[in-house]
């Protein structure tokens, strides 16, 4: 058994700052009291311990209050992605068998056609409540959240994330990154995504403030880092690139108190890491997924420059191996084991077992070097086989993004009668540049068979809510 995170944290450090949003701050005691009010109003709507609810809202302070209210009441929370279409949202609500939808008022149009109890935030905020029956202690296998995978193949799956999953993930992270009294985690990731939600979990377990942004703003984020008002942050390649650009344009460096920029969502171009080093931004690459409740492996600060490009070693409670690999450096599917791995799925996929013989098959291609450090090459589903050679889109993308005028790059495979598939690139540039210039640049760094056979210029690339590149959408563009 483990105590309810917020109740225990509010008992231990009631007056410490828990959350800040725009110009307002809340202590853990104030956060608990607000969450209790929302829990009481959910109780008045006949929601009770063990019920499953779908939650749809932006990354605002009220979303945090509702999330903690759900956890105090003992509800299982299906985290809905607000960037989905009404049809996609309805499919997930139905598949999850949710008893109700809790929704921010400005997003009610996304669930208006669903035949289910719908509770707008304004109703929860203003309605009359009743004394809630709180879930003060949890079993480790108790499901806290359910997040649907992005659905790279077939229908998305609802992934169960338990008390044990979230707790072990947060503890493993702090054993790697460390913790000081002044830590403040800047959260610009959506709260419905594991990257955002895991920051809320760390907050109540560590007693750490979360500085919440509803949307990513590179200029404001850079200012926070320069002024020392935050000490840690989670990013992906595209948001990191924007932050680097602001720092370089302003000729600034990070405040000495800034400790960690945790970079997930795929490998980073080496150029980004070198630029970050010059700006005194400690960027640590990490590897994780929805099924692992955030991080599985993370590079330590002491190894950041020695092992550029690596996602590090598995965190304390976790294990990683490469399927079929007999020697270091051999590429294969990454397998993961540990208490952070989901016990299973819900809905249409509830009979599927994610773990086989103790290991989760990730679908990612990677390798371990001689020292046991993990390097992620690409998604197995994105692998391009051209003339019998394996081509990894991320490798080609990293070369393209190292060009000074390329802001973003995405590569996918196009069917070809002669070679089976050939790589094609889509790029976003900051200034005009020709296709031939980019191809000549690639020729200097890529083997001939890895060369993109065409470069298309676009205004933006398809990405999911966490800014992860969706290469399957690029294939549709073809």
């Amino acid at each position: 058994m483990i105590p309810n995170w917020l109740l225990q944290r509010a008992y231990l450090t009631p007056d410490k700052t828990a959350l800040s949003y725009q110009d307002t701050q809340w202590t853990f005691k104030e956060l608990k009291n607000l969450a209790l009010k929302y829990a009481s109003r959910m109780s008045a709507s006949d929601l009770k311990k063990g019920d499953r609810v779908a939650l749809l809202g932006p990354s605002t302070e009220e979303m945090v209050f509702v999330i903690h209210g759900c956890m105090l009441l003992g509800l299982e929370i299906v985290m809905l992605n607000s960037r989905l279409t009404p049809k996609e949202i309805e499919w997930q609500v139905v598949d999850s068998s949710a008893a109700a939808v809790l929704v921010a008022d400005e997003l009610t149009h996304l669930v208006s056609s669903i035949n289910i109890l719908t509770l707008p935030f304004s109703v929860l905020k203003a309605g009359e409540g009743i004394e809630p029956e709180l879930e003060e202690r949890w079993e480790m296998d108790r499901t806290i959240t359910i997040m649907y995978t992005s659905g790279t193949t077939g229908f998305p799956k609802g992934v169960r994330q338990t008390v044990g999953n979230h707790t072990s993930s947060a503890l493993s992270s702090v054993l790697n990154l460390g913790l000081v009294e002044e830590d403040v985690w800047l959260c610009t990731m959506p709260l419905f995504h594991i990257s955002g939600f895991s920051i809320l979990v760390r907050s109540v377990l560590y007693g750490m403030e979360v500085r919440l942004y509803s949307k990513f703003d590179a200029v404001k984020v850079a200012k926070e880092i320069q002024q020392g008002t935050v000490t840690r942050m989670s990013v992906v390649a595209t948001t990191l690139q924007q932050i680097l650009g602001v720092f370089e344009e302003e000729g600034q460096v990070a405040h000495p108190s800034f400790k960690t920029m945790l970079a997930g969502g795929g490998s980073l171009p080496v150029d980004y890491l070198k630029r970050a080093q010059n700006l005194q931004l400690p960027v640590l690459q990490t590897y994780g997924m929805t099924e692992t409740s955030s991080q599985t492996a993370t590079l330590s600060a002491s190894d950041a420059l020695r092992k550029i490009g690596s996602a590090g070693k598995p965190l304390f409670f976790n294990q990683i191996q490469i399927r079929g690999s007999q020697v270091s450096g051999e590429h294969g599917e990454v397998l993961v084991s540990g208490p952070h791995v989901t016990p299973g799925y819900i809905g249409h996929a509830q009979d599927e077992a994610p773990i086989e013989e103790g290991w989760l098959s990730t679908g990612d291609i990677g390798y371990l070097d001689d020292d046991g450090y993990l390097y992620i090459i690409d998604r197995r589903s994105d692998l391009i086989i051209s003339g019998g050679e394996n081509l990894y889109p991320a490798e080609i993308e990293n070369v393209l993004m190292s060009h000074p005028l390329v802001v973003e790059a995405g590569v996918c495979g196009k069917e070809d009668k002669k070679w089976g598939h050939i790589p094609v690139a889509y790029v976003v540039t900051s200034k005009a540049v020709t296709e031939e210039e980019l191809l000549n640049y690639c020729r200097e760094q890529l083997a001939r068979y890895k060369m993109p056979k065409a470069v298309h210029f676009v205004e933006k690339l398809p990405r999911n809510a966490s800014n992860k590149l969706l290469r399957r959408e690029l294939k549709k563009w073809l």
Side-chain angles (χ1 to χ4, degrees):
M1 299 287 285
I2 190 170
N4 183 296
W5 298 321
L6 180 57
L7 292 179
Q8 185 74 347
R9 177 49 59 194
Y11 164 68
L12 293 173
T13 55
D15 299 322
K16 195 171 188 306
T17 302
L19 176 70
S20 59
Y21 179 75
Q22 296 179 354
D23 297 325
T24 310
Q25 294 181 329
W26 295 266
T27 64
F28 282 105
K29 181 180 179 180
E30 291 169 332
L31 178 57
K32 182 196 77 171
N33 290 337
L34 284 164
L36 281 170
K37 289 183 179 179
Y38 280 89
S40 71
R41 287 152 186 162
M42 293 176 203
S43 293
S45 298
D46 294 327
L47 295 177
K48 59 187 181 303
K49 183 171 75 173
D51 284 347
R52 184 176 292 165
V53 297
L55 177 59
L56 179 63
S59 295
T60 62
E61 81 286 10
E62 190 167 30
M63 182 72 162
V64 177
F65 304 153
V66 173
I67 287 172
H68 281 295
C70 290
M71 290 194 288
L72 289 179
L73 201 56
L75 305 177
E76 293 184 5
I77 316 170
V78 181
M79 309 296 288
L80 297 175
N81 182 345
S82 58
R83 295 178 64 177
L84 298 179
T85 65
K87 186 175 181 179
E88 290 171 313
I89 290 173
E90 181 176 9
W91 187 93
Q92 292 185 10
V93 170
V94 173
D95 185 69
S96 67
S97 300
V101 176
L102 315 181
V103 56
D105 290 59
E106 64 270 28
L107 298 178
T108 53
H109 64 283
L110 295 176
V111 296
S112 59
S113 63
I114 305 176
N115 185 23
I116 191 174
L117 173 64
T118 300
L119 297 172
F121 286 2
S122 60
V123 172
L124 293 177
K125 186 175 183 178
E128 292 296 323
I130 62 174
E131 186 70 23
E133 181 182 346
L134 302 183
E135 191 168 44
E136 298 183 7
R137 301 179 72 195
W138 291 323
E139 298 286 349
M140 293 297 277
D141 63 354
R142 161 83 163 79
T143 298
I144 293 290
T145 48
I146 294 162
M147 299 182 189
Y148 276 81
T149 59
S150 53
T152 53
T153 57
F155 292 103
K157 300 175 183 177
V159 180
R160 289 176 54 207
Q161 297 154 335
T162 67
V163 171
N165 293 156
H166 285 302
T167 301
S168 65
S169 176
L171 295 181
S172 290
S173 181
V174 77
L175 288 175
N176 180 51
L177 299 178
L179 180 69
V180 296
E181 183 74 17
E182 297 78 21
D183 270 344
V184 178
W185 204 295
L186 177 59
C187 178
T188 63
M189 308 295 277
L191 295 179
F192 59 74
H193 189 272
I194 187 58
S195 297
F197 188 87
S198 65
I199 295 172
L200 296 186
V201 176
R202 292 177 202 140
S203 171
V204 285
L205 284 173
Y206 304 169
M208 175 189 70
E209 178 186 344
V210 172
R211 176 71 174 140
L212 183 64
Y213 274 51
S214 58
K215 293 181 180 180
F216 174 77
D217 185 312
V219 174
K220 290 182 179 179
V221 166
K223 185 177 180 180
E224 297 255 20
I225 296 172
Q226 292 163 11
Q227 294 180 341
T229 52
V230 297
T231 61
R232 305 186 193 272
M233 182 185 180
S234 298
V235 296
V236 294
T238 182
T239 52
L240 173 59
Q241 192 275 338
Q242 293 178 55
I243 294 169
L244 294 176
V246 174
F247 267 81
E248 291 165 341
E249 184 176 333
E250 297 178 349
Q252 297 289 325
V253 296
H255 192 278
S257 65
F258 188 77
K259 299 180 182 66
T260 308
M261 189 161 278
L262 203 61
S267 62
L268 295 174
V270 174
D271 175 65
Y272 287 16
L273 299 173
K274 292 180 178 178
R275 290 165 62 195
Q277 178 189 2
N278 292 333
L279 299 168
Q280 299 175 26
L281 283 168
V283 177
L284 305 186
Q285 294 202 81
T286 186
Y287 171 69
M289 56 197 303
T290 306
E291 282 88 345
T292 63
S293 297
S294 192
Q295 302 169 73
T296 285
T298 301
L299 202 62
S300 65
S302 60
D303 291 329
L305 299 179
R306 189 170 67 90
K307 295 287 185 178
I308 286 180
S310 170
K313 289 185 176 180
L315 298 183
F316 191 84
F317 301 114
N318 312 338
Q319 292 180 290
I320 294 174
Q321 69 177 20
I322 306 300
R323 187 190 299 276
S325 174
Q326 302 299 317
V327 295
S328 61
E330 186 174 358
H331 295 183
E333 183 179 12
V334 178
L335 305 179
V336 172
S337 179
H340 65 317
V341 176
T342 179
Y345 305 104
I346 66 163
H348 77 283
Q350 63 183 350
D351 295 330
E352 294 186 32
I355 300 174
E356 297 179 15
E357 299 181 352
W359 295 90
L360 171 72
S361 300
T362 67
D364 291 317
I365 302 295
Y367 68 91
L368 298 172
D369 71 6
D370 291 336
D371 299 320
Y373 287 79
L374 175 67
Y375 290 76
I376 297 298
I377 304 299
D378 230 319
R379 286 290 300 174
R380 183 177 59 183
S381 58
D382 292 329
L383 182 68
I384 303 169
I385 302 178
S386 182
E389 295 280 4
N390 289 345
L391 308 184
Y392 301 103
E395 180 184 7
I396 304 171
E397 290 162 0
N398 286 346
V399 169
L400 284 164
M401 286 192 292
S402 67
H403 189 283
L405 297 183
V406 174
V407 178
E408 298 180 68
V411 173
C412 65
K414 177 182 179 180
E415 289 189 12
D416 183 83
K417 291 181 180 180
K418 182 178 180 181
W419 301 108
H421 288 83
I422 54 174
V424 174
Y426 291 86
V427 298
V428 178
T429 62
S430 59
K431 294 181 180 179
V433 60
T434 67
E435 179 182 25
E436 191 56 33
E437 285 180 77
L438 293 182
L439 292 176
N440 285 336
Y441 182 79
C442 290
R443 287 188 185 99
E444 297 173 0
Q445 304 177 64
L446 290 172
R448 185 175 178 180
Y449 70 90
K450 297 180 182 179
M451 283 286 299
K453 300 306 182 283
V455 177
H456 301 290
F457 297 91
V458 296
E459 292 185 0
K460 64 179 181 178
L461 295 180
R463 297 184 179 276
N464 64 14
S466 60
N467 268 318
K468 190 172 183 179
L469 177 66
L470 300 178
R471 295 193 186 100
R472 66 180 184 276
E473 294 299 323
L474 295 180
K475 294 177 184 177
K476 292 180 182 179
W477 289 4
L478 287 173

